[in-house]
Amino acid sequence: MCDICFAERGDKAAVETGSYLMPKYDSDGLIVAVVTDFETNEVLMVGYMNGEALKRTLSTGEAWYWSRSRQAYWKKGETSGQVQTVREVRTDCDQDALVLKVTVGGNGGTCHVGYRSCFFRKVDKSVSGDVRLVRTEQEKVSASIRST
Amino acid sequence: MCDICFAERGDKAAVETGSYLMPKYDSDGLIVAVVTDFETNEVLMVGYMNGEALKRTLSTGEAWYWSRSRQAYWKKGETSGQVQTVREVRTDCDQDALVLKVTVGGNGGTCHVGYRSCFFRKVDKSVSGDVRLVRTEQEKVSASIRST
């Protein structure tokens, strides 16, 4: 018995077009989770989950990840208040990726360097040589260095 | 000499807030690329690139990936016509993920099972037991099984 169960990986048709969540984990036991703003679809961050983090996310409605650098469970916003309330979870055709549509709590930021999205820089191809980045967000939502 | 060069990984500040693209590849030499619709921000697919695929993408303006299953370069849309014209590339704070904002050619689809987005199913928590999925796209853009 478990409160939340994932079906065993089925055949190609069951995985690609079926009606059961059958997550495929990589060799480290992780699945990539793309986190987007529920209202705007903007990509806020990319995180990784193991099966337990995914179960915690689905059962609590708040996003949990597996921190690859710290090798530990990580509830986003536990210290910063930037809790992610999960409004919708999607998976893709081969079920080796997730999209989380979230509403961000606290000051509304996601990135630990202070911006709303971790993707606050875009490639600038106007300069030759090394590829340059330019900021797309001019204002930080917080000056905090740590927003875990 | 190279037409497109990536800077060597710098210190934490250079990576997180600096002005040079310094991609971090995983143990397989790959970086995850989240592909979104340029107009709506909707997540269309998740792919993987090695350094060469990223260079081809930046130099041609059309998305190239590394197929993990086929262990080969893969220009999206080469056979299906669903070419991704890359309008913007972003990276995140630790530069181990990319977001591509694209315009999709051909019939406008992305998923090989025929839907606009590969993320055409969402988790349905209304049913107890195994986690169920429900479709979010009712209409396929194509009946084709292969849309590589």
Side-chain angles (χ1 to χ4, degrees), chain A residues 102-124:
Chain A
V102 308
T103 304
V104 177
N107 61 13
T110 293
C111 187
H112 75 285
V113 300
Y115 293 98
R116 198 163 38 79
S117 167
C118 291
F119 294 88
F120 61 88
R121 291 172 297 180
K122 67 176 178 181
V123 168
D124 176 6

Side-chain angles (χ1 to χ4, degrees), chain B residues 82 104-110 115-116 141:
Chain B
Q82 297 168 341
V104 177
N107 62 13
T110 293
Y115 293 99
R116 198 163 37 81
V141 292

Side-chain angles (χ1 to χ4, degrees), chain A residues 4 24 36 38 53 71 96 102 115 132 135 138 140:
Chain A
I4 292 183
K24 181 179 180 182
T36 65
F38 179 68
Q71 292 284 298
D96 66 354
V102 308
Y115 293 98
R132 300 290 289 266
R135 293 198 186 177
Q138 302 311 317
K140 291 188 177 186

Side-chain angles (χ1 to χ4, degrees), chain A residues 123 125 127-132, chain B residues 1-7 21 51-61:
Chain A
V123 168
K125 294 197 290 185
V127 181
S128 61
D130 288 346
V131 179
R132 300 290 289 266
Chain B
M1 276 296 290
C2 62
D3 291 339
I4 291 183
C5 304
F6 304 131
L21 183 61
E52 172 62 21
L54 178 54
K55 286 181 182 177
R56 292 186 189 187
T57 298
L58 293 175
S59 63
T60 66

Side-chain angles (χ1 to χ4, degrees), chain A residues 52-105:
Chain A
E52 172 62 21
L54 178 54
K55 286 181 182 177
R56 291 185 190 187
T57 298
L58 293 176
S59 63
T60 66
E62 294 178 341
W64 281 82
Y65 303 96
W66 178 257
S67 167
R68 296 174 301 169
S69 57
R70 291 184 283 112
Q71 292 284 298
Y73 289 103
W74 164 43
K75 182 186 172 185
K76 176 65 182 171
E78 198 160 35
T79 56
S80 67
Q82 297 169 341
V83 170
Q84 295 171 345
T85 300
V86 179
R87 311 289 289 274
E88 192 174 303
V89 177
R90 294 196 184 194
T91 193
D92 66 346
C93 43
D94 46 4
Q95 299 205 33
D96 66 354
L98 303 169
V99 166
L100 274 62
K101 299 189 175 196
V102 308
T103 304
V104 177

Side-chain angles (χ1 to χ4, degrees), chain B residues 20 30 41 51 53 68 75 82 84 102 104 113 117 127 138 143:
Chain B
Y20 288 98
L30 301 177
N41 280 336
R68 296 175 301 167
K75 182 185 172 185
Q82 297 168 341
Q84 296 171 345
V102 308
V104 177
V113 299
S117 166
V127 181
Q138 302 311 317

